[in-house]
Amino acid sequence: MSMQVPAGDLLSKINYPSDLKQLTEDQLEKVCQELRQYIIDVVSVNGGHFAASLGVVELTVALQYVLNTPYDQLVWDVGHQAYGHKILTGRREDFHTNRVYKGISGFPKRSESEYDTFGVGHSSTSISVALGMAVASQYKGETDRQHVAVIGDGAMTAGMAFEALNHAGIENSNLLVILNDNNMSIDPNVGALKEYLTDITTSKPYNRFRDDIAHVLAKLSAIGPDAFKMAQKLEKSVKGTLLKRSNFFEALKFRYFGPIDGHDVNHLVKVLKDLRDIPGPKLLHCVTTKGKGYALAEKDQTKWHAPGLFDKITGEIKKAKFDKPQPPKYQDVFGISIIELAEQNPKIMGITPAMPSGCSLNLMMKAMPNRAFDVGIAEQHAVTFSAGLATQGLVPFCNIYSSFMQRAYDQVIHDVAIQKLNVIFCLDRAGFAGADGPTHHGAYDLAFMRCIPNMTISAPMNEEELRNLMYTAQQENMGPFVIRYPRGNGVMVDWQRPFKAIPVGKGRKICDGEDVAILSIGAIGNEVVKATAALNAEGYYPAHYDIRFVKPLDEALLHEVFKKFSKVITVEDGCIEGGMGSAILEFMADNGYQQTQVKRLGIPDRIVEHGEQPELWAECGFDAAGVAQQVKNLGAKRNAHTIAS
């Protein structure tokens, strides 16, 4: 149950930005202190993302103080930066329900507030969006309207951000990009751009020069176009000399300002007011500290990205305590198993786009630093980089969250599948992702991968199967191979068993039965196991089969099922349209099994909001209770005897 928390004196009177604007600039620092404390207070007792929003408190307050939102369009990138934004735009009273089932979203969401101009769960979209808005405003004659994209937490490493910058530079639209440069995504930023920004940030001559440049240019622009052009030339010349190279952003025809201290709210207000009067595409480089104001989060920013519940005084992160050993997270099974496999097979490499701690590839990066790569928030590059490795006889395990894999679909087809390259896609967070909600649910991978030729698609029901599928996939000539598995813990304590190859395209019978057969794929099959146990206690005895591979299907197993059973239920933690159930219906149609009654259970054809996985399974009717009810709904016969397995 989420807990309401009182706000400070000033913050308690701010319901909307119009209230914030009633304060003097001298009061803004206190607002920032209260806003930061409020985020700490609420997240410590209710959970959620943490360090990212602490790092942009001053920027958030300054933007809402200077801009006329929602008329002025403010677009956040990597939406977990936006907690302060939500609190200042009418949702303080509801903020304790953040990320809770039926509560407010953890990310900006258009249907939730007019202040949320765009839904932003995935990164690197803000510049494209804000540019589209700016061009639209220009077309409609709304020349007074501001358009601001706040991009940070590693989002500038993605190709889409570069594409948008490249386009924005040639559009004379009213666009301000604010680079929240904290040198972090969830894990530390990587890549040449990070090094470049660090060089700018630490250049002492340039830092002395840049303090007054924005204000001077704003004044000169008012004098006239000639003075303005002269000032621009002078600015570029001095910047180029001081930095000993041309500015990357100015090469893309952006006016570059900064770097400035992103934690000085009064200076931010002054700079933002000046930039409001300068036409054309502009970039403001703000240097911030992720986790600012909470010492432990500043020190270990990865750990405090989303720490769960914690004691705000001691910093102790509250973890459930158990008397017995517990099953591991699937991501840790992957992280440990890939190291074991790599020790046996020198060809194995590990790749992730900016999620080393989230997918546990950080274990391999530490143990084998020359064989594991974090390529930054760049899913398309991750896939094609993996394809390049595969052409040279290496075996890349490309670990990408299921919902992020959607961003690299062309590369999967064009660069991997057509060429039959042995790239192993480990799709973490497949199925419902929980509190992160619809932007992060891995709902579609079975459907969108299933239609691609040359692809093997599998889902383990438990940790041992995940290990064995990883072992199977790295054998010779396996071609493109998908292994999908969910967020969270598995079901086995004794999971670290010797590797065994699994025959590709072979499912298995979990238990025999009569009248009704339940076909499941992946870890959701454990809900079916619970359902069959409950049904057995009531005298119902459905059979249960673990399909294990949605491509290729185990046709021998399916013939056995359809010859014996007239009622079949399919269960998957994925979209019903085009998923495993659809594959079963196609098999039925192709093989003339027209008399069988089939009920498909899975994620329905609608956007399912956030909540804990069991809550969402129940909402969509494929938790243990939902499966058991469907067996009864199909008119299963009740018997008093036991079926031999």
Side-chain angles (χ1 to χ4, degrees):
M1 192 71 177
S2 59
M3 186 187 301
Q4 181 65 279
V5 172
D9 293 341
L10 290 177
L11 187 60
S12 63
K13 297 179 179 67
I14 300 171
N15 293 311
Y16 289 96
S18 57
D19 302 317
L20 177 65
K21 294 178 196 298
Q22 303 305 311
L23 303 179
T24 66
E25 290 187 24
D26 291 341
Q27 292 175 293
L28 295 183
E29 203 166 306
K30 188 168 190 296
V31 172
C32 293
Q33 291 169 1
E34 291 184 9
L35 180 56
R36 179 169 278 115
Q37 190 59 51
Y38 189 71
I39 293 171
I40 292 170
D41 290 345
V42 175
V43 176
S44 67
V45 295
N46 293 326
H49 291 104
F50 185 59
S53 283
L54 292 185
V56 292
V57 163
E58 289 81 8
L59 182 58
T60 304
V61 169
L63 283 166
Q64 294 295 358
Y65 192 73
V66 173
L67 295 177
N68 178 27
T69 57
Y71 178 72
D72 288 341
Q73 303 277 280
L74 175 57
V75 185
W76 291 92
D77 212 310
V78 189
H80 53 243
Q81 297 183 100
Y83 284 9
H85 161 82
K86 291 202 165 209
I87 292 163
L88 295 176
T89 54
R91 287 162 282 183
R92 189 187 70 252
E93 292 294 322
D94 294 326
F95 188 62
H96 67 288
T97 72
N98 181 49
R99 292 167 53 87
V100 176
Y101 187 55
K102 303 294 186 184
I104 66 171
S105 171
F107 301 104
K109 184 176 177 182
R110 279 169 58 84
S111 61
E112 187 176 289
S113 170
E114 63 180 338
Y115 290 91
D116 291 0
T117 59
F118 204 73
V120 285
H122 291 184
S123 82
S124 316
T125 58
S126 63
I127 304 175
S128 299
V129 170
L131 177 61
M133 292 171 172
V135 169
S137 293
Q138 189 177 44
Y139 175 71
K140 293 190 290 182
E142 298 166 347
T143 54
D144 61 333
R145 203 170 195 182
Q146 304 292 315
H147 310 85
V148 180
V150 183
I151 184 165
D153 256 28
M156 195 65 97
T157 64
M160 188 174 179
F162 288 97
E163 293 165 22
L165 287 170
N166 187 52
H167 178 199
I170 62 167
E171 296 291 344
N172 189 31
S173 53
N174 194 9
L175 173 68
L176 171 62
V177 175
I178 298 179
L179 173 58
N180 169 30
D181 179 11
N182 61 13
N183 208 26
M184 290 290 293
S185 53
I186 292 174
D187 294 275
N189 280 353
V190 296
L193 180 65
K194 186 266 291 188
E195 302 294 342
Y196 172 78
L197 293 174
T198 302
D199 287 350
I200 290 179
T201 308
T202 55
S203 168
K204 289 180 182 176
Y206 182 54
N207 275 278
R208 284 196 297 270
F209 164 75
R210 56 86 175 137
D211 282 336
D212 299 316
I213 192 67
H215 196 60
V216 169
L217 283 178
K219 300 300 181 192
L220 283 172
S221 65
I223 297 172
D226 291 339
F228 187 62
K229 286 177 185 173
M230 189 182 301
Q232 281 184 306
K233 288 180 181 176
L234 175 65
E235 178 195 8
K236 288 179 181 176
S237 172
V238 175
K239 284 181 181 176
T241 302
L242 291 174
L243 293 175
K244 296 189 170 57
R245 62 179 127 178
S246 61
N247 184 290
F248 169 79
F249 299 106
E250 292 185 341
L252 294 172
K253 302 190 182 302
F254 267 74
R255 300 286 311 288
Y256 173 89
F257 301 93
I260 69 169
D261 180 358
H263 298 300
D264 184 341
V265 68
N266 295 117
H267 189 217
L268 282 167
V269 166
K270 176 176 171 289
V271 170
L272 289 170
K273 284 180 176 177
D274 286 345
L275 292 180
R276 200 169 48 184
D277 301 326
I278 296 176
K282 306 168 287 288
L283 186 137
L284 175 62
H285 182 180
C286 292
V287 179
T288 63
T289 301
K290 190 170 181 177
K292 178 70 174 178
Y294 193 76
L296 291 169
E298 291 184 35
K299 187 176 178 182
D300 191 343
Q301 296 166 333
T302 299
K303 179 180 178 181
W304 288 89
H305 175 76
L309 308 187
F310 61 95
D311 185 314
K312 67 183 181 184
I313 307 300
T314 66
E316 180 189 357
I317 295 174
K318 298 174 183 176
K319 296 188 184 282
K321 294 185 171 70
F322 301 97
D323 296 331
K324 302 177 187 174
Q326 294 297 300
K329 291 181 178 179
Y330 282 101
Q331 68 182 62
D332 292 335
V333 174
F334 164 82
I336 292 166
S337 299
I338 193 173
I339 293 173
E340 290 181 55
L341 288 169
E343 286 168 345
Q344 298 176 20
N345 183 352
K347 296 179 180 178
I348 287 175
M349 312 292 271
I351 297 93
T352 182
M355 300 304 295
S357 60
C359 76
S360 295
L361 192 68
N362 57 341
L363 303 177
M364 186 181 185
M365 290 172 71
K366 185 176 180 182
M368 304 174 173
N370 64 329
R371 295 174 64 183
F373 303 88
D374 173 6
V375 302
I377 300 178
E379 293 86 2
Q380 296 175 331
H381 167 63
V383 171
T384 304
F385 173 63
S386 299
L389 291 170
T391 65
Q392 302 306 302
L394 299 180
V395 181
F397 279 78
C398 183
N399 191 308
I400 301 182
Y401 287 9
S402 170
S403 74
F404 298 163
M405 179 55 85
Q406 295 159 193
R407 315 185 89 191
Y409 191 55
D410 177 65
Q411 287 70 24
V412 171
I413 297 171
H414 186 274
D415 301 336
V416 177
I418 289 176
Q419 304 180 86
K420 301 181 183 176
L421 293 172
N422 186 195
V423 176
I424 301 156
F425 296 111
C426 292
L427 303 189
D428 198 337
R429 272 62 167 183
F432 282 133
D436 282 335
T439 58
H440 284 60
H441 292 331
Y444 311 110
D445 55 85
L446 288 176
F448 70 62
M449 288 294 194
R450 192 169 72 82
C451 59
I452 303 175
N454 299 327
M455 190 71 70
T456 297
I457 305 164
S458 65
M461 191 166 151
N462 56 43
E463 300 92 310
E464 183 182 19
E465 291 234 305
L466 172 54
R467 283 169 60 78
N468 289 339
L469 284 168
M470 290 174 67
Y471 177 77
T472 302
Q474 54 88 51
Q475 297 178 114
E476 291 291 324
N477 302 316
M478 278 292 165
F481 203 112
V482 171
I483 307 171
R484 72 164 338 233
Y485 51 90
R487 174 179 178 268
N489 294 79
V491 294
M492 299 177 68
V493 174
D494 178 24
W495 60 273
Q496 206 165 357
R497 301 175 182 176
F499 291 113
K500 293 179 187 170
I502 294 175
V504 172
K506 288 296 173 189
R508 58 181 183 144
K509 183 193 296 180
I510 303 297
C511 68
D512 206 346
E514 59 185 28
D515 202 28
V516 176
I518 306 172
L519 309 181
S520 68
I521 187 164
I524 199 66
N526 295 295
E527 288 295 299
V528 178
V529 170
K530 294 178 193 173
T532 54
L535 287 164
N536 290 171
E538 296 182 47
Y540 298 95
Y541 296 94
H544 179 201
Y545 295 84
D546 172 23
I547 294 298
R548 196 155 53 187
F549 291 88
V550 77
K551 189 172 189 176
L553 285 170
D554 187 341
E555 296 199 355
L557 182 149
L558 292 177
H559 281 300
E560 174 189 323
V561 168
F562 284 103
K563 284 174 180 172
K564 181 175 180 181
F565 298 94
S566 60
K567 300 180 180 73
V568 170
I569 298 171
T570 66
V571 184
E572 58 198 302
D573 191 1
C575 63
I576 292 177
E577 273 67 21
M580 182 269 286
S582 295
I584 301 302
L585 292 179
E586 291 164 16
F587 174 85
M588 282 175 55
D590 291 345
N591 289 277
Y593 292 111
Q594 282 130 7
Q595 305 308 311
T596 308
Q597 189 178 356
V598 176
K599 176 64 180 178
R600 292 179 297 156
L601 300 180
I603 298 176
D605 188 23
R606 62 179 174 85
I607 300 300
V608 179
E609 300 298 342
H610 60 280
E612 294 303 315
Q613 289 157 301
E615 293 172 325
L616 302 181
W617 298 336
E619 178 185 317
C620 297
F622 60 90
D623 64 340
V627 172
Q629 187 58 50
Q630 283 299 333
V631 170
K632 296 174 184 177
N633 290 352
L634 279 179
K637 296 171 188 169
R638 195 167 181 177
N639 299 299
H641 63 281
T642 304
I643 304 297
S645 57

